[in-house]
Amino acid sequence: MTAIYSIIAGPLMWAVFAVFVIGCIWRVASLAWTARKKDIAVYEYWSNRYAARSIAHWIVPFRSQSMRQNPATTTASFVFHITAIVTPLFLSAHILLFDEAFGISWPALPNAIADAFTILAIVSLAFLVGRRILVPGVRYLTTWGDFALLALVALPFVTGFWAYHLMPGAGWATILHILSGQALLVAIPFTRLSHMLLFFFMRGYIGSEFGGVRKAQDW
Amino acid sequence: MKSPGDWEAGKRQIADLSLWKETFSYMEEPYAAPDGETLAAVVQTGEMEFSVCVNGQPWEAVFDKAWYPRFTPDGRLTALVSQEQQWTLAVDGVAWESGFDFAWNTQFAANGQGLAVFAQEGGEYKMALDGNGWEEGFSDMGDGALAPDGSACAAVVQVTSFSEGDIFTFKKGCYTVAVNGTAWEQAFVNCWTPVFSQDGKSVATQVRVNLYDYTVAVDGKPWDATFPCVWEPLFVPGSTSVVAPVKTPKGWTLARDGKPCWSSFFVQLLRQRFAPDNKTVAAVCAPKYGRWTVAIDGNPWKSTFDEAVWDVVFSPNSKRVAATAKDNGKWTVVCDGKAWDEKFDMVFAPVFSPDSGRVAARAIVNGKQALFVDGKMVAQDFSRAFDPVFGPQSDRLLIKGIKDEANRLVYSREVLVL
Amino acid sequence: MSQVIAKQSKPLPDAGLDKGVEGLTPEKIAKTLQAMLKAEGGARLAAYVNTCAHCGLCAQACHFCLSHDMDPAYSPAGKVKNTIAQVVKKKGKVDAGFIREAARIAYTECNLCKRCAMYCPFGVDVAYLMLVMRRMCHKLGVTPQYIQDTAHSHSVTANQMWVKQDEWVDTLFWQEEEAREEFEGLRIPLEKEGAQIMYSVIGPEPKFRAQLIYQAAALFHAAGLDWTMPATPGWDNSDMAMYTGDNEIMGRIKRAHYETAMRLRVQKIVMGECGHAFRSVHDMGNRWLGYKSSPVQVVHALEFYWELLRDGKLKLAKKYEKPVTLHDPCNVVRGRGLHEMARDVVRASCQTFIEMTPNREHNYCCAAGGGVINCGPPHKPTRVAGNRVKAEQLFRAKADGAQVVIAPCHNCHGGLEDIIHSYGLNLELKFLGDILYECMEKP
C-alpha cells in the first residue's frame, strides 16, 4: 500500500497537475484561437465592464431572476460550488502536503468546518442527482455522462470523509481518494466540468452583448 | 463634363426664393444646374396642378404631379410628370410624347446625352430610352443601367412568372437581363446591378446561379468560377474584361474574369472604380472587422475609419484618391489616406480640381451646409448648397447655394478666386 | 415521454420542408454539414454545446415550454438536444428525417427571443444555436415554404412582400395625397438628398398597412423634421433572410438599406415599429458586412417618439382614454433596452397604463418573432398553442382593466392578434404610432 501511495502521491501527482494545468490552458487557448478565426464578435463586442457586471450578477446567490425562481436548486448549487472549491483548497491535510512538497502554505479551515463542508458538498450533490432523476425537464436532458461526472465529483468527497473518519478500510479509501481527486482534475479541462473555466468567458461574452450592444440586463 | 460658362470672379443672385414661396402655395426643395445659372423646384401652380419653376418662372406645361426634378450632366432639366394618369419624363418643360402607367428612376448617361426611365404599362415593366419604350415588357424589373454614351439601356427582368409562394419554380431561375428590351437566353435565380462597358456594347451583371453560388455573367454568359458571394461588376475601361469583388474562403478580394486578381484579402470589399488612366483600381475595403479604408490596387491605406467609407474619387491625373469616411459618428474627407481635420455631420462626394491639386467638398454642420477646399472652409451658412465646381485653371471655385440674406431666402452663384 | 415524442413526430405539412428533404441522402447531408461546421462552426458553437450542464433552468424562460406544461421537448436545452447538439455530436452524420424534424423545431418552435439566455447560468445563447441550425437547413434546402418565399422576395426586390418598384412609389404618393386632405402642404419627400432623416419601413406597410406610413408622415410633418424616403429599392429595413439562414442575402439587403441611406446623405435612419428589422439593421446584418455597428445611425420608432416628446417637437392635444397595457417586443427590449422609453411615451400619451407581468427584459415573446409567423399558416397552430402563457398574461392584464394592448412591433402585432382571437381575449391591439397619431396636436 505504501508503494502504491508513494507512486500516486509522487510521480502520478506531478503528471496529474501537469495534465490539469496544460489541459486547462489548452482548453481556453484553443477556444480563444477558434473564436479569433470564426467568432470575431467575441473579441469585438467584449466589454470588461459589462462582462464584470454580468459575472457579478451570476456569481452572487439570488441576484438573477432565474435563481430567485428556483430557491432550492440555487441553494444546493451554491452550497455545492462553494464547498467543492473551498474544502479541498483549504483543507489542513492538503495544505500540509503542499507545504511538504513546495514549502508553501496558507491558513487552513478548522477540521470540523472542513468536515461539515464535506457533508454539505455530498448532500448538495445528492440534491442535484435527485433533481436529475426526479424533475422531468432535467431528466429529459440528462445523459449517462452527466451521472458519471456527478459520481466523479462526489467520489473524492466521499472517500475523503471516509478516510478522515478512519472508517473501516480507511487506508484504501485514502488511495481511492487521491486517485478520484486526480481523475477529477484530469477530467476538468476535457469534459463539461470545463464550465469551471469557461463560465467566466461565456458569461462575460453574453454580458458584453447584452450590456454593450443590446443595452439590456441579462439576469 | 465641360466647365460651366462664366468664370468671372464675384457673386450673382439668381433667384429670390422668398418670392417663389410668396408666389406658389407649395414648393419643394430646389435643384441647381451644373453651371449654377439655373435653379429649379417643383411648385404648385393651381388646384391639383403642379409644374417646375425655373429661375422664378414655371414651365408652361402643368401636370397633375411632378417629381424628381434633376439636371442632366449637360444642364438640361428633367422631371417625372403625370397628366391624366399617364406618366412620363419632361425635359426642359416638354414631356416625352410617349406615356406610361407609371414612370420612375430617371437614368442619366455620363455624357449627358441619353435619358432613360423605368416604366410600367398594363402591369408590364420596361425601360424607355429617350422616350422610346421597349417593345415588349416583362412581369417585373429590377436594377437597370444606361450605357455611358446613352446609346443603350439594360435591366434585370423576370422571364418566367410564378405565383407568390412558389419557391420551386423560383429556384429554377426566373430572372435575366434584358438589353434594349431583348432578354438574354440564360436565366438565373437572381441578377443584380447590370453595368455597361464603355462602348455600350457589353453588359455584365451579378448573378446567383442557385441559392448558394454567386458569380458574374457577361453578355449572358456566367464566369466559370462561382463564389459564396459577389458584388457589383465593372468593366475594365476600353475592354470586355470585367472586375468584381468576390468572397473566397480567405476573405473578399477583387476578381477579373472569374479569377482573383489581387493578392490581398479583406473582411469586405465594395464599390471599386477605375482611375481615368483605366489602369488603377480603387475600392472601399475593410482590412479588419469594423475598420474601413480605401484599397488602391489591393493596397489599403494605413489610416482606417471605424464606421464607413463611402465615396471614392480619383483625381484627373489618376495619381490621387479622395474618399469620404465616417469615424466616431462624424464624416470627413480623406485624401491619399490623410483625413481632413474638419469633421462633419454629413459630407458629399469630394471634387478634384482639373490639375488634381485641390479637393473641394460640400458638408453639413449643425444643419447648415458649407463648402471646404483642402480641409479649409471657403463658404458657409447655406440652408442648401450644391456641389462645387472648379474652374478650368483650377484657381477658381464655383459656389452654388441658398442663403438667408436680410430675411430673404436667396440663391446665388459665386465664383471664388482661390 | 413517449407521448412527447409522438407529439413531436406528428408531421405538419409544409411543402418547403417536405419537398426539401426529398432526395437528401445521408452522404449529401454529411458533406454539407461537415463543410459548414468546418467553415462556420466556431468557438461559440463548441462552448455552448459542450458546456451546457443540462440543468434545465432554461425551461422556465421559454414560452413554448411554459405553454406546454413544461414539456421538456420545448425547453431551450431540449430543442438544442434534438437539433444542433446531435449534428455536432454525430459530426453531421444525420438522416433526412432528422433534418426535417430539426428544421421544424428550429424554424417554428423557437422565436430566437433570447429570453433563455437570461435564465441560463452560463448565458448559453440558444437563439444563436437555433440560427446555426437554420443556416444548416438553408444550406440543405430544407426551409419552410412561406418564409423561404419571403427570402426570395428579399433577394429579388430588396423587400419582403414582392412589392414592385412602382407600387412602392405609388403607395407613397397615395398616402401623401390622402394626408394632404388632413394636413395642408404635407409632403412625403422622396429622394431628398441631404435630408437629416431617412424614414424606412417594412414590406407589409405599403402592402397592407399603408395607414402607418400616413401616420408617420403626419408625425414628421407636425414635428417639422427634415426627412426623406427613398424611391428605390432599399426602403425596406426588414430581413427574413436573416431568419432562414441565408446570411448572404441578409448582407445584401442590409447593404442596400445602408447604402440607400448613404446615397441620400442622411444623418440617420428612423425606422417604423418593427422589431426584427431593428435587430437586423443594428445587430446582425451589419456584422455580416463587417460593420461593427450600423454605418448610419439607426433610431427605432420608440426612441424616435420619445425624442420628439422630450424635445417638445410633438405636442399632444389629449391623452388616449382607454386603459392600455404594453407588450415589450424582444428585439427592441432585450435587443436594445428601449423599454423605459416605451413606457415614458405610453404614460405621456395614455390616461391609464396597466403593466402586464413579467415585463421589460423578462417579457414573454409574442411567439410570432424570429420568423415563426413568416413560416405561414401551416405553423400557426404551433405558435398559438405555444403561447398559452402570453394569453394568460394578457388575460390578467385585462382582468386588471386593460382594454387595449400596445405592441410596438409588426410581428408582435401579427402574433398577438392570433392569440387574442384564438383565446377569445377580446382586446384591442394598437401600435404606439396609432395612439400618438390619435392624440397629437394636428397643425
Side-chain angles (χ1 to χ4, degrees), chain B residues 61-353:
Chain B
V62 292
F63 309 97
D64 300 336
K65 173 104 189 155
W67 68 295
Y68 204 63
R70 294 292 188 278
F71 284 92
T72 63
D74 63 351
R76 289 178 293 156
L77 176 59
T78 71
L80 292 160
V81 295
S82 90
Q83 215 160 20
E84 288 156 18
Q85 308 291 318
Q86 286 279 294
W87 290 84
T88 193
L89 190 75
V91 185
D92 287 334
V94 181
W96 283 350
E97 279 173 18
S98 49
F100 311 94
D101 290 347
F102 202 72
W104 72 102
N105 204 5
T106 318
Q107 310 267 312
F108 303 92
N111 67 354
Q113 293 297 305
L115 281 170
V117 297
F118 281 31
Q120 181 262 111
E121 213 175 0
E124 297 216 310
Y125 292 81
K126 56 179 69 170
M127 285 183 84
L129 177 57
D130 294 327
N132 304 309
W134 291 347
E135 274 176 30
E136 261 181 272
F138 297 88
S139 52
D140 195 13
M141 200 161 80
D143 300 328
L146 182 56
D149 61 1
S151 61
C153 58
V156 174
V157 294
Q158 183 175 359
V159 284
T160 307
S161 295
F162 53 87
S163 50
E164 274 187 32
D166 182 359
I167 59 177
F168 307 104
T169 306
F170 177 88
K171 284 183 210 175
K172 289 179 191 156
C174 303
Y175 295 86
T176 192
V177 168
V179 184
N180 294 329
T182 307
W184 289 345
E185 271 175 28
Q186 190 177 344
F188 305 91
V189 168
N190 290 105
C191 299
W192 299 283
T193 64
V195 61
F196 276 93
S197 59
Q198 218 171 18
D199 62 4
K201 300 266 190 309
S202 280
V203 174
T205 189
Q206 300 177 67
V207 297
R208 182 161 72 147
V209 294
N210 52 48
L211 287 190
Y212 316 104
D213 298 311
Y214 296 72
T215 191
V216 168
V218 185
D219 294 333
K221 195 179 169 304
W223 284 351
D224 292 333
T226 64
F227 304 89
C229 200
V230 301
W231 297 134
E232 300 87 314
L234 186 66
F235 279 93
V236 179
S239 80
T240 52
S241 204
V242 173
V243 294
V246 298
K247 197 178 185 199
T248 75
K250 283 196 266 182
W252 284 89
T253 190
L254 198 71
R256 180 168 176 156
D257 301 332
K259 288 179 199 70
C261 62
W262 281 2
S263 53
S264 38
F265 295 86
F266 302 92
V267 169
Q268 192 53 266
L269 186 68
L270 307 162
R271 297 168 62 79
Q272 76 280 11
R273 40 195 61 4
F274 279 91
D277 69 5
N278 294 349
K279 290 192 197 95
T280 317
V281 193
V284 174
C285 74
K288 275 176 59 180
Y289 182 83
R291 301 303 311 186
W292 296 85
T293 191
V294 172
I296 299 164
D297 289 337
N299 305 307
W301 284 342
K302 287 206 171 59
S303 51
T304 60
F305 306 88
D306 70 359
E307 290 193 58
V309 167
W310 181 236
D311 309 279
V312 176
V313 180
F314 272 103
S315 63
N317 68 4
S318 302
K319 297 223 163 71
R320 300 185 66 196
V321 173
T324 49
K326 192 179 175 204
D327 194 83
N328 202 14
K330 293 283 180 188
W331 286 92
T332 192
V333 172
V334 188
C335 291
D336 303 322
K338 199 175 170 319
W340 285 0
D341 293 333
E342 294 281 344
K343 311 292 175 217
F344 316 112
D345 297 327
M346 181 45 66
V347 68
F348 295 73
V351 181
F352 272 100
S353 60

Side-chain angles (χ1 to χ4, degrees), chain A residues 38-39 44-45 58 65-66 69-70 131-132 140 146 192 199 203 205 209 213-215 217 219, chain C residues 1 38 41 43-44 49 52-55 60 81-82 119-121 123 283 287 292 336-337 361-362:
Chain A
K38 296 188 198 171
D39 306 75
E44 291 290 338
Y45 299 94
W58 284 89
Q65 181 69 24
S66 174
Q69 270 175 235
N70 302 278
R131 195 172 166 270
R132 285 213 179 277
Y140 182 80
D146 294 325
R192 286 182 198 280
F199 167 81
R203 196 73 252 165
Y205 169 63
E209 288 275 9
V213 179
R214 310 168 74 83
K215 314 282 185 206
Q217 58 181 49
W219 54 85
Chain C
M1 257 350 212
K38 186 162 175 267
R44 279 181 292 179
V49 169
C52 169
H54 304 156
C55 71
Q60 63 198 343
K81 171 186 160 154
N82 293 328
Y119 285 74
C120 169
D283 190 14
R287 294 189 185 194
K292 194 161 178 180
R336 196 55 168 182
E361 282 103 331
H362 290 274

